[in-house]
Structures are given as C-alpha cells and as structure tokens.
Amino acid sequence: MGIAGYLALIVWAVFVNNFVLSQFLGICPFMGVSKKVESAVGMAAAVLFVITMASIITFLLYNALLVPWDLQYLKTILFILVIAALVQFVEMVIKKVSPTLFAALGIFLPLITTNCAVLGAALLAIQKDFNFMKTLVFGMASAVGFGLVLILFAAIRERLALNVATPKAMKGMPIALITASILSLAFLGFSGMVRM
C-alpha cells in the first residue's frame, strides 16, 4: 500500500467512517465531556494515546499470542484487559501532570476503559485484516476523528450556552442532540469520498 492508500485510509477513518458520527461508538464521552473545549481537548488527547497504543498492543498480542495458539475467541477479553491497563496509566499521568484537567475530566477519564470506540478500533483492525502499519494508521486516524468531532462539538456547545435566543425548553441536552445530528449530517457529505 502506497502513500495514496494510507491517505485514503486516514480520510476514511477520520471523516467517512467516523466512530462517533457514523458508527455511534464513544457516545458517552462525546456527550459528557463536550461542554467545554478545554476538557474536550484533554479527553481527545487521552483517547488519541489510548486508541493508538491499544491498536498497536492488541495487534501484536493477537498475532503473536492468540493466532499461533488458536485462541482467537479470547480476543475481546484480552483487548479489554489491555485497554484497562492503558487507561490506568493515562489516568496516573494526567493526575500527576495536570490536576485541573484531571478534575475537569472527572468520571469520564475512567470511562475510557469502557469507551466502545477504543475497543472498536482494535476489533475493526483485526476484522479488516489490517497489517501492522495499517493498524497503526487506522488507530491514530480514528482517534483523530474522534477528537476532531469532540472538540468541534464542544466549541459549538460553548457558543450555544451563550446564546440567549435558544428557547428555555431546548437548552442543555435537547439542543446538544439536535446539534450532534446536524454535525452528523455534515460528516455524511464525506461518505462517497473513499471506500475501504
């Protein structure tokens, strides 16, 4: 696969097959952490690290441990254990480096463990039979797509919170859901660009 193939994979993972807007994976942090851009950027960075590392480690463990021993049926359990260990590591680092970000992320940081986008990236890479380089690019691009949507949505929600013209009954979650659906329609415009 040449550079054009990897660029197509990146466009496909970030825009066409976006985890949040196309596959509806990772909705919990998408709705929960998207009230402020600062916390959305922190969550996007944490998810970028976790998805990328989880994709690499799960690919290596799957091909070096599960396939030779014919234990592929254990992949989900193994992948969840890897993701949980990575999230604990990220949680310790964020708590040490930025206590304010740690407090802002609150309960959503440990929820990365159960974030189906992280597990989805690892499982989709195996399901699509990607090699190591494709798995790495797919994991990073999927995480970038997740982060992009999270930050865009947080910026829109911050602006909407300042808007006094929003009807009282629509404030909060109703307008957030409508905004998410419009954002999803915007990303639907990319659907015909690349096929994988």
Side-chain angles (χ1 to χ4, degrees), residues 71-179:
L71 299 171
Q72 293 92 327
Y73 59 90
L74 293 174
K75 70 179 176 249
T76 305
I77 295 169
L78 179 67
F79 291 2
I80 289 171
L81 290 172
V82 167
I83 291 165
L86 282 170
V87 169
Q88 288 300 313
F89 175 73
V90 169
E91 192 172 357
M92 288 187 309
V93 169
I94 290 177
K95 191 174 186 178
K96 193 83 152 169
V97 172
S98 178
T100 54
L101 179 60
F102 181 77
L105 292 175
I107 188 67
F108 294 102
L109 191 56
L111 282 179
I112 294 176
T113 305
T114 58
N115 186 347
C116 50
V118 180
L119 182 61
L123 290 174
L124 279 171
I126 298 297
Q127 180 185 9
K128 293 206 169 274
D129 201 27
F130 287 158
N131 62 22
F132 179 76
M133 199 61 195
K134 278 187 183 178
T135 300
L136 174 64
V137 170
F138 174 70
M140 287 179 71
S142 298
V144 167
F146 181 88
L148 173 71
V149 168
L150 186 65
I151 293 166
L152 280 173
F153 191 57
I156 293 169
R157 283 184 76 179
E158 275 189 0
R159 296 278 310 263
L160 283 172
L162 299 174
N163 190 356
V164 292
T166 305
K168 188 177 180 181
M170 296 298 291
K171 287 197 182 275
M173 195 54 68
I175 196 71
L177 291 171
I178 292 169
T179 304

